[in-house]
Amino acid sequence: MLFLAAFYRNNNCIALLYGFDIFTYFRTMQKTLLITGGAGFIGSHVVRLFVLQYPDYHIINLDSLTYAGNLENLKDIEDRPNYTFVKADITDEQAMYDLFGKYNFDGVIHLAAESHVDRSITDPNAFIETNVMGTANLLNAARTAWKNDFTNKRFYHVSTDEVYGSLGAEGFFLETTPYDPQSPYSASKAASDHLVRAYGNTYHLPFVISNCSNNYGPNQFPEKLIPLFFNNIKNNKPLPVYGDGKYTRDWLYVVDHAHAIDKVYHNGKNGETYNIGGFNEWQNIELIKLLCEKMDHKLGRTPGASAGLISYIKDRPGHDRRYAIDATKINKELGWAPSVTFEEGLSQTIDWYLKNEEWLDHVTSGNYQNYYQEQYTNN
Ligand code: NAD
Ligand code: DAU
């Protein structure tokens, strides 16, 4: 209630500035967009971009605030008049119908998901529930609310390159590469991609899908490689490298991914898929050595000190050897390309984590310690 009052007051203040009431203010908005998972890593960058770039869009950020969701990520924009946060779970079917009944959404950008491969190995059902059933709930709610009149509507499903499986030493993932998911996480994402396409085919729901490579940047939860290793280097803890460390990933700065999502949402063709990647492949061990080097420099340590923390441990079960995206289609058709080099992006990321110690302290207290113990002890 308090929140609602503050929210109303805030918006009314803005409305007064414009010289009319809050209801007129929202009516003048061009679009109402639902972004799911907006309190997470990528979602928070997408929400920020849309809220700031499109002041005439009303952005509704729906997130259930799992361990990975964090409203601190959006402190700088939370008072913007065109932003509303809704705490809800996409696995709650009725809540999704209610939400679509309340807001007349023009479009959905769906990012909410369980996203960490290691957790999917320990607890696959959470991934099936959120990623598969949650996506189905959103599709059903959209279809019902839009009453099969899809004029100017769009459902954008944000997915991953992991649905294509693992590459050998050569080749790239194309939009036409057959699906071959290998982990419970990627299988659940593949299932959700298939559902979205099936709703497009069966009910003519207008959709777009993008499949992106590994993201890095500010606000990433320290269970993923780069922030986890940053945190361990900072605290002089061992750096747990899975297997031989020669697994390869294609890395993209998260803000560049958010810009790609903007392009796909606004200019992508209905029914199409766009691969998004950084043209930036690294073997894990080479990336880790670069991170150690940069951290030595930034922390004023003796060169080589952080690399001394590298510790090879038991491999991740079913570990995909190599991912590499061919992002030619989005580049040629939508004019998108990454804007920062990996050197720049990694430096900015390290600087952000160094400056935001409090953010890291908050997310690494409590349950994180239990997760870390279970994942890395006896490996
Ligand atoms: P994340 O784990 O940081 O954030 C996920 C967000 O979804 C969190 O805020 C969480 O609270 C929310 N969420 C989870 N379950 C929910 C539920 N049942 N109901 C409502 N909200 C829920 O993930 P991320 O890395 O930001 O990834 C976002 C999306 O992008 C995911 O769909 C992921 O598959 C995809 N993706 C991620 C990467 C990457 O490198 N991180 C790359 C390609 C695609
Ligand atoms: O490719 C896109 C995907 O990238 C996204 O869909 C996922 O949501 C995202 O988590 C990411 O998946 P990865 O499994 O590639 O990311 P992760 O950061 O977990 O691992 C990157 C590589 O580093 C991988 O080869 C495993 C390795 N690794 C990871 C951790 C956490 C280690 O060697 N040690 C570790 O402790």
Side-chain angles (χ1 to χ4, degrees):
M1 197 60 213
L2 262 180
F3 168 74
L4 275 181
F7 171 79
Y8 180 82
R9 204 195 55 225
N10 263 339
N11 285 287
N12 226 12
C13 289
I14 298 297
L16 284 173
L17 277 180
Y18 282 84
F20 46 63
D21 66 39
I22 185 172
F23 302 108
T24 316
Y25 173 74
F26 279 127
R27 267 201 307 275
T28 59
M29 296 228 152
Q30 272 193 16
K31 276 191 201 306
T32 304
L33 279 195
L34 172 64
I35 300 183
T36 71
F41 166 48
I42 302 170
S44 60
H45 289 275
V46 175
V47 165
R48 176 176 300 99
L49 180 72
F50 274 71
V51 164
L52 297 181
Q53 190 143 303
Y54 303 105
D56 54 348
Y57 288 10
H58 184 190
I59 304 298
I60 314 294
N61 170 15
L62 176 156
D63 200 296
S64 64
L65 300 180
T66 66
Y67 76 93
N70 185 351
L71 289 177
E72 280 184 51
N73 295 348
L74 290 165
K75 273 257 163 268
D76 55 322
I77 58 108
E78 68 183 7
D79 289 331
R80 293 272 167 169
N82 63 333
Y83 172 70
T84 302
F85 174 70
V86 175
K87 185 173 187 304
D89 193 320
I90 60 170
T91 64
D92 181 343
E93 189 183 9
Q94 190 55 49
M96 294 308 103
Y97 281 115
D98 292 347
L99 188 78
F100 275 78
K102 177 170 177 190
Y103 294 100
N104 186 17
F105 293 124
D106 296 287
V108 178
I109 304 181
H110 173 37
L111 295 109
E114 289 291 341
S115 70
H116 190 39
V117 174
D118 291 329
R119 289 187 194 252
S120 83
I121 294 166
T122 323
D123 180 15
N125 280 9
F127 286 69
I128 295 159
E129 277 155 26
T130 285
N131 300 358
V132 186
M133 289 311 299
T135 302
N137 289 339
L138 286 169
L139 288 165
N140 290 331
R143 195 166 76 84
T144 306
W146 294 340
K147 299 190 177 73
N148 293 326
D149 174 4
F150 299 129
T151 320
N152 296 324
K153 304 291 190 197
R154 169 157 278 190
F155 191 102
Y156 178 0
H157 178 60
V158 176
S159 192
T160 170
D161 62 355
E162 300 202 8
V163 298
Y164 299 123
S166 184
L167 290 163
E170 305 272 301
F172 295 91
F173 295 135
L174 295 167
E175 286 80 359
T176 50
T177 302
Y179 275 31
D180 186 21
Q182 298 294 321
S183 71
Y185 163 66
S186 52
S188 68
K189 289 297 290 187
S192 60
D193 293 13
H194 288 319
L195 274 176
V196 174
R197 289 198 183 95
Y199 275 60
N201 181 58
T202 310
Y203 308 113
H204 308 295
L205 182 85
F207 74 89
V208 275
I209 297 180
S210 59
N211 296 85
C212 188
S213 63
N214 287 60
N215 283 218
Y216 71 98
N219 307 98
Q220 189 168 31
F221 192 81
E223 61 187 354
K224 309 279 166 69
L225 181 73
I226 292 179
L228 185 133
F229 277 45
F230 167 91
N231 195 36
N232 285 16
I233 293 171
K234 194 173 138 246
N235 295 305
N236 273 307
K237 284 173 66 177
L239 305 178
V241 180
Y242 294 156
D244 64 3
K246 293 188 178 161
Y247 294 85
T248 300
R249 298 290 183 266
D250 167 2
W251 294 91
L252 177 68
Y253 193 56
V254 63
V255 177
D256 280 329
H257 188 190
H259 282 285
I261 288 173
D262 179 13
K263 290 260 186 205
V264 172
Y265 183 76
H266 286 104
N267 306 320
K269 282 198 205 117
N270 278 337
E272 292 286 320
T273 297
Y274 297 88
N275 280 356
I276 305 170
F279 302 100
N280 178 42
E281 281 183 61
W282 285 81
Q283 271 192 355
N284 291 341
I285 192 64
E286 297 307 322
L287 187 160
I288 291 159
K289 284 181 184 160
L290 177 68
L291 180 66
C292 288
E293 211 178 282
K294 284 188 175 293
M295 293 282 290
D296 282 343
H297 180 68
K298 291 190 192 272
L299 296 173
R301 289 185 183 166
T302 315
S306 300
L309 298 167
I310 290 173
S311 154
Y312 289 90
I313 66 164
K314 198 169 84 189
D315 211 348
R316 170 186 280 176
H319 200 165
D320 288 335
R321 193 63 171 168
R322 175 174 165 257
Y323 303 145
I325 279 275
D326 182 339
T328 307
K329 178 176 171 180
I330 186 170
N331 177 256
K332 290 250 156 66
E333 293 185 12
L334 306 184
W336 173 87
S339 70
V340 293
T341 65
F342 190 55
E343 286 275 329
E344 288 163 351
L346 192 60
S347 270
Q348 284 173 30
T349 303
I350 296 171
D351 291 344
W352 185 86
Y353 280 96
L354 287 172
K355 260 198 229 126
N356 290 274
E357 275 192 357
E358 220 175 86
W359 183 94
L360 199 57
D361 288 347
H362 287 170
V363 301
T364 53
S365 59
N367 284 341
Y368 180 79
Q369 299 303 332
N370 302 335
Y371 165 77
Y372 197 90
Q373 280 288 112
E374 276 166 31
Q375 180 64 27
Y376 294 102
T377 308
N378 303 325
N379 271 319

